[in-house]
Amino acid sequence: SPTNSGRGAANGRSLSDLDYESYPMRTAAEAAVVEWGHSAIISALDAAVASFGPQTSRGAYFEVEASPVLADPVDGDVERLLEDGSAVDPATFKLKNSDQVEGNMVVMTNAAGMTGVEMARIAKNSGAAALMVVNTDKDHPDFIYSMEPEDDEEEEYAKTVDIPVVMVSRTSGNVLTTATVVEGMTEEEMKNLPNHGMPERVRLYAGGDRPFFEDVTAATALPTVYLIHNMLTDAECTDLIASAGGKFKELDDTKTSILEHITASSDGKVKAVGIDRAVLWKGQLHSHAGKQIEERIDQVTGYPAEHFSDWHVDRFRSGSFFAPHFDVLPTQIPIASISVFLNDVPEESGGDIIFPNVSDGTPVKIHPTRGLAVVHHNTDDQYQFDAATLHAELELTGGDDAVKYVARKYIYALPQSPARRVVLPIAAMMAGGALPDIVLQLHDVVVDKFGLEKGPLYFDKIMTMFPVVLLLLLASAVTSAVKGKVSASGSSSSDGKNSSSGAKKKPSVKKPVRGTRSGNKTKGSKKD
């Protein structure tokens, strides 16, 4: 029951009893970018800055432009290469290709299990201008983190590190080492590429407000969950909240409303408690700012904007929560959901989004942070429903002033129809921004009558024909009005002629001596 301790349960356990792994872990201060290319084509990798060495806050002192050079050995384990097995002072370790590394960015992997500080020492000894560490974790191919000293001795040495040290993911490392590969190349041609397929030069700089990723669940675990930091700017978050103002209505999940993405639970229990929702029907009628957001989400996630729903903005007050549920509709299952927090919430006030049934046994929770997007896939790689996507939003506390805003977009496998992208937004705009209840009811009636598969198609046809019918009615009304005006004008003209004829005959009526002829003329005049 959503009213029990923990406001819901998963696998028979109270949500409050689970041992969560908390996110976000990364911060904007540690976000960096490795970039190459020219103005026409630019490639970029997300990187995490180590806690030692120059930091992004130092601006130009952090930035480096140099050639990337693959370390020899690539994992930096120089000691392993010593044939006689003699011990060597780590302070003097150098890479075999230190002459090539000097003044450039050395690329090493952490496959040998060396710490970040140990690799930084070798990079410095070899004369590198910067160190890029590739995280080779197979289970987390997109995972990166800020490396830190692991003991007091490393802490002391870390203070002397004066070159930028960053980590990129296994996936990013593969992108870097195939940067100059051209489609159709043979394996032999790829092996003979200059600089191991890496670009000639790269630039390292602070990420700033640029969106960057953070993995939440492992590649082998379900569901797929990851974070996108800086998905929306502070100003964009504020504008979305303002756009939803005046359109909120209580989210009633005891009955299904497909167009508002509300599905009633099979047991009839309330899951959305104290939540208000506003659907911002914009479709292709977005402002310039709205289109920029759509394009950014398209570029960052790889999902085409034509597959997006409009924003669904939820408002939580103190005591509000959303018990465990799935983002599914009777008519279709979105392949992914994007939830963006529009405001910060104090740590002690809760409101976290949680995934209690992660397949590797580690439940996760994500705390509300303004501009942070939580992306989760509702289907597996075969587009089949993934039951591990069960998620909830913990109770918001903090008194009467507590509030949380979340904006959601749902990503569908097929592009949204013109009816959804054009007609419904026009209908909402004509009704003041919210879709009229009659349209919501019409959709559900059509679906009930024609079924879950054909019903939405027939509804789209009805809505697509509606503007045509409206235009025909408008054209008919205009035509009738014009005809009426022409008819009235013609009648007025005819009356004027008749009035003139009568005036000319008045003198003849006054002459009794010509009464008969006058009468004949009068009759003839009327006949004319």
Side-chain angles (χ1 to χ4, degrees):
S1 166
T3 58
N4 69 2
S5 175
R7 303 297 190 183
N11 290 338
R13 297 172 296 170
S14 171
L15 297 181
S16 61
D17 295 336
L18 301 179
D19 185 15
Y20 294 100
E21 192 169 71
S22 299
Y23 292 86
M25 296 182 183
R26 297 190 62 191
T27 65
E30 70 180 45
V33 178
V34 179
E35 181 182 274
W36 65 90
H38 48 76
S39 57
I41 303 175
I42 293 179
S43 300
L45 306 177
D46 182 23
V49 182
S51 65
F52 51 89
Q55 301 297 295
T56 57
S57 57
R58 296 188 63 186
Y61 291 100
F62 171 79
E63 297 176 6
V64 171
E65 181 170 352
S67 296
V69 177
L70 205 61
D72 184 10
V74 70
D75 59 6
D77 192 357
V78 179
E79 191 172 19
R80 187 185 71 241
L81 300 181
L82 297 176
E83 295 180 1
D84 58 2
S86 59
V88 177
D89 182 1
T92 64
F93 277 6
K94 283 187 178 182
L95 295 167
K96 289 178 64 177
N97 60 337
S98 57
D99 56 332
Q100 298 173 351
V101 167
E102 187 170 1
N104 291 311
M105 177 185 290
V106 62
V107 181
M108 302 169 63
T109 74
N110 59 1
M114 300 176 68
T115 68
V117 172
E118 287 174 336
M119 287 185 282
R121 187 196 296 268
I122 294 173
K124 273 198 66 176
N125 291 344
S126 302
L131 167 63
M132 178 195 297
V133 177
V134 179
N135 185 17
T136 56
D137 188 341
K138 293 181 179 179
D139 292 333
H140 300 80
D142 296 308
F143 180 63
I144 56 177
Y145 58 91
S146 178
M147 295 175 288
E148 299 179 347
E150 297 191 2
D151 55 38
D152 293 341
E153 183 181 345
E154 286 199 349
E155 188 78 45
E156 282 302 311
Y157 181 80
K159 295 176 182 177
T160 69
V161 177
D162 56 2
I163 62 172
V165 179
V166 300
M167 175 181 281
V168 300
S169 68
R170 180 188 181 93
T171 301
S172 294
N174 290 333
V175 171
L176 181 70
T177 54
T178 56
T180 59
V181 172
V182 178
E183 187 176 355
M185 275 188 174
T186 65
E187 286 191 22
E188 189 64 29
E189 288 173 328
M190 288 189 281
K191 286 180 182 178
N192 294 327
L193 282 172
N195 200 22
H196 300 280
M198 294 189 293
E200 185 177 343
R201 294 185 73 78
V202 296
R203 298 176 292 278
L204 171 66
Y205 58 89
D209 294 333
R210 178 182 178 273
F212 62 94
F213 292 85
E214 179 176 357
D215 267 10
V216 173
T217 55
T220 55
L222 293 174
T224 297
V225 183
Y226 58 91
L227 309 180
I228 305 175
H229 293 252
N230 299 332
M231 187 72 262
L232 296 180
T233 66
D234 290 354
E236 289 167 343
C237 290
T238 300
D239 288 345
L240 271 177
I241 294 173
S243 297
K247 302 180 182 70
F248 284 110
K249 62 181 182 179
E250 184 179 0
L251 199 167
D252 179 9
D253 65 343
T254 61
K255 50 188 178 183
T256 296
S257 177
I258 294 174
L259 289 180
E260 296 180 307
H261 212 281
I262 300 172
T263 304
S265 59
S266 57
D267 57 10
K269 291 182 178 179
V270 175
K271 295 184 181 294
V273 176
I275 304 172
D276 299 319
R277 172 167 291 183
V279 182
L280 306 182
W281 292 97
K282 295 294 183 180
Q284 293 182 331
L285 308 183
H286 272 299
S287 63
H288 176 66
K291 289 179 180 177
Q292 284 185 315
I293 293 174
E294 296 258 295
E295 290 172 1
R296 185 186 314 137
I297 297 174
D298 182 329
Q299 292 170 358
V300 172
T301 65
Y303 294 119
E306 295 77 16
H307 295 243
F308 299 169
S309 74
D310 282 305
W311 287 113
H312 295 59
V313 181
D314 289 349
R315 179 176 62 191
F316 294 70
R317 301 287 192 183
S318 183
S320 300
F321 64 90
F322 212 145
H325 62 283
F326 299 104
D327 287 347
V328 299
L329 292 171
T331 52
Q332 60 182 323
I333 302 174
I335 58 175
S337 301
I338 301 177
S339 302
V340 186
F341 298 115
L342 302 183
N343 67 310
D344 291 317
V345 174
E347 191 75 31
E348 64 276 8
S349 295
D352 303 63
I353 291 180
I354 63 169
F355 293 86
N357 291 345
V358 180
S359 62
D360 64 5
T362 306
V364 298
K365 67 177 181 178
I366 301 103
H367 190 71
T369 305
R370 183 164 55 180
L372 177 70
V374 181
V375 183
H376 75 267
H377 293 185
N378 298 299
T379 59
D380 58 22
D381 55 3
Q382 300 299 317
Y383 297 104
Q384 299 300 309
F385 170 64
D386 179 10
T389 59
L390 184 76
H391 59 286
E393 295 188 57
L394 297 180
E395 181 176 357
L396 184 69
T397 61
D400 294 339
D401 294 333
V403 64
K404 180 184 80 170
Y405 291 96
V406 184
R408 309 181 202 280
K409 274 187 180 291
Y410 302 99
I411 315 300
Y412 298 102
L414 298 175
Q416 294 292 280
S417 66
R420 312 296 172 106
R421 299 278 291 172
V422 179
V423 181
L424 293 186
I426 290 175
M429 182 175 62
M430 295 173 64
L435 204 60
D437 287 341
I438 189 171
V439 176
L440 299 173
Q441 294 165 4
L442 174 63
H443 178 275
D444 294 341
V445 166
V446 173
V447 170
D448 286 342
K449 182 172 180 60
F450 295 102
L452 297 177
E453 185 176 347
K454 294 184 178 180
L457 299 177
Y458 287 143
F459 172 79
D460 286 351
K461 288 181 179 180
I462 292 171
M463 295 310 296
T464 304
M465 292 176 61
F466 175 74
V468 177
V469 174
L470 192 63
L471 287 173
L472 290 174
L473 291 173
L474 183 62
S476 177
V478 170
T479 303
S480 298
V482 170
K483 285 182 177 180
K485 189 172 182 179
V486 171
S487 176
S489 175
S491 176
S492 175
S493 175
S494 176
D495 289 346
K497 288 179 180 179
N498 290 340
S499 177
S500 297
S501 298
K504 288 178 181 178
K505 294 177 179 69
K506 282 181 181 178
S508 62
V509 172
K510 290 180 181 179
K511 296 179 180 179
V513 79
R514 296 182 180 177
T516 305
R517 291 180 181 177
S518 174
N520 290 338
K521 285 184 178 179
T522 301
K523 289 179 181 178
S525 172
K526 286 181 179 179
K527 187 175 182 180
D528 291 339

